[in-house]
Amino acid sequence: MKPRKMKDHVYWMGSVDWDRRLFDSLIPLPDGTSYNAYFIEGSEKTVLIDTVDPSMVDELLTQLENVSKLDYVVSLHAEQDHSGGIPHILSRYPDAKLISSPKAKGMLMDLLRIPEKSFVTVSDGEAISLGDKTLKFIHTPWVHWPETMVAYLKENEILFSCDFFGSHIATTDLFVSDEGRVYEAAKRYYAEIMMPFRNVIKKNLEKIASYEIATIAPSHGPVYPRPSFIIDAHEDWIDGPSKNLVTLPYISMHNSTKQMVDFFVSSLVENGVSVEQFNLAVTDIGKLAISLVDAGTIVIGTPTVLGGPHPNVVYGAFLANALRPKAKFLSIIGSYGWGGKTAEMLAGMIPNLEVEVIEPVLAKGLPAEADFKALENLAKTIATKHKDHGLK
Ligand code: FEO
């Protein structure tokens, strides 16, 4: 694709990756993604903000064909989907200076072997003049690596946010046209990538609140012409109240746990609690992560295998612990054949979750009447706790 004009002398460059389906060999990308770079032509200096994934660097080099002089390359984030093209750009423009945060400098030298002489580091709040335009750098650590920063183009009120406010979505829309579609993609992105750092991100949201922002230009997904849409969404995801929702990841081997899940879900619904259940044998973990953004309670369903939880459930619990959702309660349901330490092992795998653990319900073999009664009581307990905490 050719460069696309965003404003006078401000252009989108980069690549739309329609085919990519996995990020970090972990994160599903059902809608592909994009790697957005931005080119600013000031009256005196030119800047390229970020680059692209190494697999797509040829497209960026072609987009820059008519740019004879590049003064600066800015690296807002050292991860290779944005920084991977930097060595190629510096090779084409050997006089260009690479602007980064001090922390990013070391990381880029480690990750890409970029020589130290290429760098100019900027402190928090430092600005550079491009002649008729001013680019200010705001350090926003931990969205989602320690070195991340954003750049603010003062005269156009554009915030270049890199991963912050991103969405994994391949589209020809330069600007967001369908907020509903982008909301879902951005929520998935937040859930999978940003949620573990939500307490730090909250501070970064406060930090950028003092700037007049007319446009947010992230490095994944379309540009936001209405920044309040995505800022408000992040405030809700980060700090809004949990919902009257149980997220229920589970596995069943011989249908006993599945019978418990089915009965339990029905009991929760009868008690006015919404449920989203995820069979970990087949689920898209991104959908599970999205659900965890809102869940008031997490209930894990697992059979006992080899004396503990099913390995897929161990993976699910590890993920939930790493993502640090704001859920308030957690419980465990499932079936076992002759013994094991499933509940104790699972409870020990979630130290990051600030949850009250509600008494698990574990059935020996097929669930019997007493087990169904216990599940009904668990559903009632969760409904009462949600009500007492005002979850809606
Ligand atoms: Fe889009 Fe953290 O890289």
Side-chain angles (χ1 to χ4, degrees):
M1 205 179 296
K2 291 183 176 172
R4 302 179 75 182
K5 183 176 173 180
M6 280 175 56
K7 304 268 179 194
D8 282 344
H9 304 292
V10 182
Y11 298 87
W12 173 92
M13 292 188 182
S15 294
V16 179
D17 196 340
W18 298 90
D19 298 334
R20 191 160 181 179
R21 287 292 172 269
L22 201 60
F23 200 90
D24 291 346
S25 301
L26 172 68
I27 296 166
L29 303 180
D31 302 313
T33 190
S34 66
Y35 317 107
N36 305 332
Y38 298 96
F39 178 70
I40 307 169
E41 193 173 31
S43 59
E44 292 175 16
K45 304 279 186 186
T46 55
V47 179
L48 179 70
I49 297 183
D50 286 322
T51 64
V52 294
D53 190 81
S55 61
M56 297 202 151
V57 74
D58 286 348
E59 188 172 3
L60 180 60
L61 289 169
T62 303
Q63 290 163 341
L64 286 162
E65 243 168 23
N66 295 325
V67 175
S68 56
K69 183 174 84 82
L70 186 64
D71 295 290
Y72 301 112
V73 184
V74 172
S75 175
L76 296 176
H77 174 28
E79 194 166 12
Q80 291 90 328
D81 51 327
H82 311 293
S83 67
I86 291 174
H88 301 265
I89 299 295
L90 292 178
S91 175
R92 160 91 63 93
Y93 301 99
D95 294 331
K97 283 293 171 194
L98 175 56
I99 294 177
S100 75
S101 68
K103 186 98 182 165
K105 175 181 168 182
M107 293 173 76
L108 288 164
M109 288 172 67
D110 289 342
L111 294 171
L112 297 169
R113 302 295 169 211
I114 296 173
E116 187 166 16
K117 64 180 170 51
S118 299
F119 285 87
V120 173
T121 59
V122 285
S123 54
D124 188 20
E126 193 170 336
I128 58 167
S129 172
L130 310 178
D132 58 347
K133 293 183 189 291
T134 315
L135 194 60
K136 183 170 177 177
F137 301 98
I138 307 158
H139 289 193
T140 49
W142 291 109
V143 284
H144 59 122
W145 279 14
E147 87 299 359
T148 44
M149 65 177 184
V150 298
Y152 178 69
L153 188 62
K154 187 176 159 204
E155 289 73 14
N156 296 93
E157 299 181 343
I158 301 174
L159 186 76
F160 298 96
S161 61
C162 201
D163 276 357
F164 202 4
F165 304 119
S167 64
H168 280 314
I169 186 167
T171 172
T172 54
D173 288 350
L174 176 57
F175 293 96
V176 174
S177 64
D178 179 346
E179 288 189 345
R181 184 173 180 227
V182 175
Y183 181 93
E184 192 66 14
K187 187 172 185 180
R188 170 187 282 266
Y189 187 91
Y190 165 81
E192 292 168 334
I193 296 166
M194 299 294 174
M195 188 156 62
F197 311 104
R198 62 192 165 83
N199 291 329
V200 191
I201 294 174
K202 186 179 169 188
K203 292 194 180 88
N204 287 322
L205 278 175
E206 290 162 4
K207 198 168 181 180
I208 63 166
S210 59
Y211 291 84
E212 289 294 329
I213 300 171
T215 307
I216 292 180
S219 290
H220 295 290
V223 173
Y224 300 93
R226 196 172 75 83
S228 60
F229 153 63
I230 197 64
I231 292 174
D232 291 351
H234 274 72
E235 283 175 350
D236 179 44
W237 299 333
I238 287 168
D239 215 20
S242 299
K243 297 197 168 39
N244 180 24
L245 169 71
V246 167
T247 297
L248 205 172
Y250 76 97
I251 279 279
S252 189
M253 290 164 67
H254 300 294
N255 213 35
S256 299
T257 299
K258 180 68 165 60
Q259 283 189 27
M260 297 176 77
V261 166
D262 289 346
F263 180 88
F264 180 56
V265 168
S266 180
S267 293
L268 284 165
V269 171
E270 280 170 31
N271 283 280
V273 180
S274 299
V275 187
E276 291 176 357
Q277 68 182 66
F278 299 90
N279 182 344
L280 290 169
V282 294
T283 197
D284 165 354
I285 58 163
K287 290 271 187 196
L288 171 59
I290 291 171
S291 182
L292 288 171
V293 174
D294 296 322
T297 296
I298 302 166
V299 176
I300 300 170
T302 184
T304 293
V305 54
L306 302 173
H310 189 284
N312 285 23
V313 170
V314 170
Y315 173 60
F318 180 87
L319 202 63
N321 184 59
L323 293 176
R324 299 170 181 255
K326 60 192 176 192
K328 299 192 176 315
F329 308 101
L330 183 139
S331 193
I332 298 155
I333 64 174
S335 167
Y336 63 96
W338 52 90
K341 294 188 179 301
T342 293
E344 297 92 316
M345 287 171 72
L346 272 178
M349 287 176 190
I350 49 162
N352 292 343
L353 302 189
E354 293 169 11
V355 290
E356 175 188 334
V357 178
I358 306 172
E359 182 70 22
V361 178
L362 296 177
K364 188 161 189 242
L366 269 177
E369 196 178 332
D371 303 311
F372 288 121
K373 188 72 196 158
L375 288 170
E376 204 172 348
N377 287 339
L378 177 60
K380 283 183 181 150
T381 301
I382 290 170
T384 302
K385 287 185 180 291
H386 282 196
K387 200 170 171 191
D388 290 349
H389 281 75
L391 307 192
K392 293 176 183 151

